[in-house]
Amino acid sequence: MKKIITIARQYGSGGREIGRKLAEAYGIPFYDNEIISRAAKETGFAEAAFKNVEDKATNSLLYSIAMGMNVFSHQEIGFTGLSLDDRIFLAQSNVIRKVAEEGPCIIVGKCADYILKDRENVINLFISASVDFRINRSIQIDSLPEKKAAEIVLKKDKSRANYYKYHSGERWDNVLNYDMAIRSDLCGIDGTVECIKAYLDKI
Amino acid sequence: MKKIITIARQYGSGGREIGRKLAEAYGIPFYDNEIISRAAKETGFAEAAFKNVEDKATNSLLYSIAMGMNVFSHQEIGFTGLSLDDRIFLAQSNVIRKVAEEGPCIIVGKCADYILKDRENVINLFISASVDFRINRSIQIDSLPEKKAAEIVLKKDKSRANYYKYHSGERWDNVLNYDMAIRSDLCGIDGTVECIKAYLDKI
């Protein structure tokens, strides 16, 4: 499987776990929200990134991105004039382009499908699930009280759609953005992983 | 496979052929646009439907729908006050509800997912494909000249989206309308049928 897989997902649908399992199955790197945010945070503030540069340099990914970001930011689009959100988005975009450059991988969230839209060999997935399934998952996994879980599930969907719209100008829920979209609650997380694998193995 | 499968599809994506192959694989009835339109036409004009009723009665589906439509139309919503388009849509909706009532089947197009949205055991699929794939398919299958094919592909997408929006009030391309959406050009028609079967067999 020589593709870069992006996964957009509804909160509580298990998209992140599905991505992790696909990455394990194919033996390719897995980049989730947290990893990308952490890397981007380092690179989003060029000055900070260049303190203790020897330490940073021991992490080749962060270092090269910090270098890239520095060039990108100050010469190409006047990085310093942008809002914090935009700076963070640019830093995340840089991380996503960088890891995609390194070869096949799974990237969850962060408008990765949009950021890599002009790249070949990218497969975009969307994972959804029923509201009940997602509420129950967030009760179990994030151990939230039921009422809070229901509230968060609906709120997170809205904010993911808004985030995508703000940065891409496109609709997050547009079926035509995705090569495959699948509901994870009908055949469970592992069943969904198998279905996606069946598809990816044919491409 | 005990489900009713609805298939929405981009023009030229092979959604109809995929539906036919799924119906063959599961040995269940297949209802495409033409079949539904023809049945609806008979039932959309109650008077005509009751001419030569013995002949009509030889087709139990058409006959029972004609009867149903007659009751439905004149008593429940003042059928005669509606536009021709709306009358035809109501007639088609009646056909779709009727065939769904009869058991597992495949229904292509005609907002079937929306018409059956309150019914259990319905799985909604969306089939898309790249513009090039769809143009080539409509050149081969409908033997259209290339320029005409390109024109029709884009026009048909728009009119299917408009048709869905007009009758359902919803967006045709909303990924959340569908249990599975899949691009047919990446692994071909037969590969896509296998992927969908892999999913349906797990549900």
Side-chain angles (χ1 to χ4, degrees), chain A residues 108-170:
Chain A
V108 175
K110 299 278 182 242
C111 305
D113 61 302
Y114 171 75
I115 290 159
L116 301 176
K117 71 181 182 339
D118 297 327
R119 215 190 148 84
E120 288 193 341
N121 291 320
V122 177
I123 297 294
N124 301 314
L125 307 178
F126 186 93
I127 312 295
S128 63
S130 71
V131 172
D132 288 350
F133 178 88
R134 299 188 292 126
I135 289 173
N136 290 334
R137 241 184 101 80
S138 59
I139 291 170
Q140 288 159 23
I141 292 176
D142 308 333
S143 40
L144 294 169
E146 184 163 357
K147 203 175 163 200
K148 186 75 181 164
E151 199 181 288
I152 286 183
V153 159
L154 302 176
K155 207 167 149 190
K156 285 259 192 180
D157 285 353
K158 203 165 285 177
S159 62
R160 286 178 184 183
N162 292 341
Y163 181 85
Y164 193 90
K165 182 75 179 174
Y166 174 77
H167 290 293
S168 73
E170 306 282 337

Side-chain angles (χ1 to χ4, degrees), chain A:
Chain A
M1 212 286 302
K2 302 260 169 262
K3 306 286 182 185
I4 292 150
I5 311 294
T6 76
I7 300 180
R9 74 288 178 230
Q10 288 189 298
Y11 179 76
S13 66
R16 188 179 169 284
E17 185 178 348
I18 288 165
R20 196 176 42 72
K21 290 188 170 192
L22 284 170
E24 281 166 15
Y26 288 116
I28 59 178
F30 172 69
Y31 301 103
D32 69 1
N33 258 327
E34 290 63 33
I35 293 166
I36 292 166
S37 301
R38 213 180 313 131
K41 202 170 171 189
E42 296 293 331
T43 63
F45 308 91
E47 297 71 18
F50 285 101
K51 283 189 189 151
N52 314 315
V53 72
E54 307 87 283
D55 304 342
K56 296 263 183 317
T58 59
N59 179 329
S60 66
L61 174 61
L62 290 187
Y63 181 71
S64 56
I65 292 164
M67 295 297 285
M69 198 64 210
N70 188 42
V71 172
F72 179 55
S73 59
H74 294 296
Q75 292 177 9
E76 289 180 24
I77 33 161
F79 183 82
T80 49
L82 297 170
S83 75
L84 181 59
D85 275 5
D86 290 338
R87 289 170 66 179
I88 289 171
F89 182 76
L90 281 175
Q92 288 170 346
S93 304
N94 233 29
V95 174
I96 287 167
R97 279 188 285 264
K98 172 72 185 169
V99 298
E101 205 52 57
E102 293 176 344
C105 62
I106 312 263
I107 306 170
V108 175
K110 299 278 182 242
C111 305
D113 61 302
Y114 171 75
I115 290 159
L116 301 176
K117 71 181 182 339
D118 297 327
R119 215 190 148 84
E120 288 193 341
N121 291 320
V122 177
I123 297 294
N124 301 314
L125 307 178
F126 186 93
I127 312 295
S128 63
S130 71
V131 172
D132 288 350
F133 178 88
R134 299 188 292 126
I135 289 173
N136 290 334
R137 241 184 101 80
S138 59
I139 291 170
Q140 288 159 23
I141 292 176
D142 308 333
S143 40
L144 294 169
E146 184 163 357
K147 203 175 163 200
K148 186 75 181 164
E151 199 181 288
I152 286 183
V153 159
L154 302 176
K155 207 167 149 190
K156 285 259 192 180
D157 285 353
K158 203 165 285 177
S159 62
R160 286 178 184 183
N162 292 341
Y163 181 85
Y164 193 90
K165 182 75 179 174
Y166 174 77
H167 290 293
S168 73
E170 306 282 337
R171 283 193 348 264
W172 181 62
D173 63 5
N174 185 344
V175 70
L176 301 176
N177 292 349
Y178 305 103
D179 300 295
M180 177 185 247
I182 187 164
R183 252 182 75 178
S184 61
D185 54 322
L186 296 182
C187 56
I189 299 300
D190 290 337
T192 303
V193 169
E194 286 167 28
C195 291
I196 295 170
K197 259 191 109 286
Y199 183 59
L200 295 175
D201 290 344
K202 290 188 201 307
I203 296 174

Side-chain angles (χ1 to χ4, degrees), chain B residues 1 58 88 153 168 175 183:
Chain B
M1 213 287 301
T58 59
I88 289 170
V153 159
S168 73
V175 70
R183 253 182 74 178

Side-chain angles (χ1 to χ4, degrees), chain B residues 127-147:
Chain B
I127 312 294
S128 63
S130 71
V131 171
D132 288 350
F133 178 88
R134 298 190 292 126
I135 289 174
N136 290 334
R137 241 183 101 81
S138 59
I139 291 170
Q140 288 159 22
I141 292 177
D142 309 333
S143 40
L144 293 170
E146 184 163 357
K147 204 176 162 202

